[in-house]
Amino acid sequence: MALWIQITPGSDEPIYLQIVEQVGEAIAKGQLAVGDKLPAVRKLASELVINPNTVARAYTILEQSGLVTTKTGSGTFIADPALRGKDAADINMLADRMDGIISRGLNLGLESQDIIAMFKDRLEKFIKTRQGGRQKK
Amino acid sequence: MALWIQITPGSDEPIYLQIVEQVGEAIAKGQLAVGDKLPAVRKLASELVINPNTVARAYTILEQSGLVTTKTGSGTFIADPALRGKDAADINMLADRMDGIISRGLNLGLESQDIIAMFKDRLEKFIKTRQGGRQKK
DNA sequence: CATAATGTACTAATGATAATAATACACTAT
DNA sequence: ATAGTGTATTATTATCATTAGTACATTATG
């Protein structure tokens, strides 16, 4: 896998958040395992043709959320999931985001079972990717 | 019900989006029924101590998403749900938002069944509010 | 018809933030 | 030592949220 991060410059969401989310999803899907090394700040910035500061910003957020650990001089690595703590604030934020989705789904005319089915379907895709084993780098 | 819209000025999300989401959730929960009138642009702006333009912006978005219909000179009213169309783009956006939540939940260390249970729980709250009948204005 | 209330449109100014740019520092591997 | 790493700092530009003020068109009400 050469470089799986793909940014959309003209998107409504900032580039640094796109990086954060894509790395987060890759971890959730098991495509990135504990100890795996993220591309160097300058290298990723070069390949994405963006500023190194933008990548550094994304890595800082990933580090603060506990998904990666950074060792200056060495690199940025996927952290141990066992050490990722979930507090009340995290759960509340998750609940709020769920409410937003549910509200949107209902107002689109979707039935409850449709929304749940859709949600289960999306989640299963994550689990399947996990069980399918890691992709080779 | 005097005024159920509550904004948080210092929030990371824009005021006009807060209004959009809160009106959307109220509709999804059945607290706003078809034909109900939203507060006038200037009136709501006055009560929230924000600029009328900000409220107008929120109403414009709600109108574009099909949740309300506006009649200049008369007011802004909750639209007929039967007329709200859902296209592929809407569904895709919903799926993307679901992926974001699932990713976040998994990376917090939550199990699949926990995430699904939490999601069902949130959705049931919407349905219950609906079945509980409309609140009186 | 007159008046008030409604949503809408427009321009301008301000503040916050995303992103770039350039540089420098501290730590680690070789 | 040298190169590669993350981090920090300052400055600049562009975009956007928000406010401000004004004006217009339509509708309800008397």
Side-chain angles (χ1 to χ4, degrees), chain A residues 2-32:
Chain A
L3 182 61
W4 33 271
I5 297 181
Q6 299 256 344
I7 63 172
T8 307
S11 172
D12 55 326
E13 81 169 341
I15 297 175
Y16 77 95
L17 279 186
Q18 294 183 39
I19 298 175
V20 168
E21 291 178 6
Q22 289 189 34
V23 172
E25 288 204 9
I27 295 176
K29 289 180 177 173
Q31 295 166 342
L32 286 175

Side-chain angles (χ1 to χ4, degrees), chain B residues 14-16 42 50-51 53-54 57 72-73:
Chain B
I15 296 175
Y16 76 95
R42 294 170 181 78
I50 59 178
N51 197 281
N53 293 336
T54 305
R57 189 173 182 179
T72 298

Side-chain angles (χ1 to χ4, degrees), chain B residues 1-73:
Chain B
M1 166 167 27
L3 183 62
W4 33 271
I5 298 180
Q6 300 256 344
I7 63 171
T8 306
S11 172
D12 55 327
E13 80 169 340
I15 296 175
Y16 76 95
L17 279 186
Q18 293 183 39
I19 297 175
V20 169
E21 290 179 7
Q22 288 188 35
V23 172
E25 287 205 8
I27 295 175
K29 288 179 177 173
Q31 294 165 343
L32 286 176
V34 181
D36 278 354
K37 187 175 184 293
L38 289 183
V41 167
R42 294 170 181 78
K43 182 166 179 288
L44 181 57
S46 171
E47 301 194 26
L48 296 181
V49 196
I50 59 178
N51 197 281
N53 293 336
T54 305
V55 178
R57 189 173 182 179
Y59 282 13
T60 299
I61 294 179
L62 285 168
E63 203 268 343
Q64 289 173 341
S65 65
L67 292 184
V68 303
T69 55
T70 59
K71 276 186 284 188
T72 298

Side-chain angles (χ1 to χ4, degrees), chain A residues 14-16 51 53-54 57 72-73:
Chain A
I15 297 175
Y16 77 95
N51 197 280
N53 294 336
T54 304
R57 188 173 182 179
T72 299

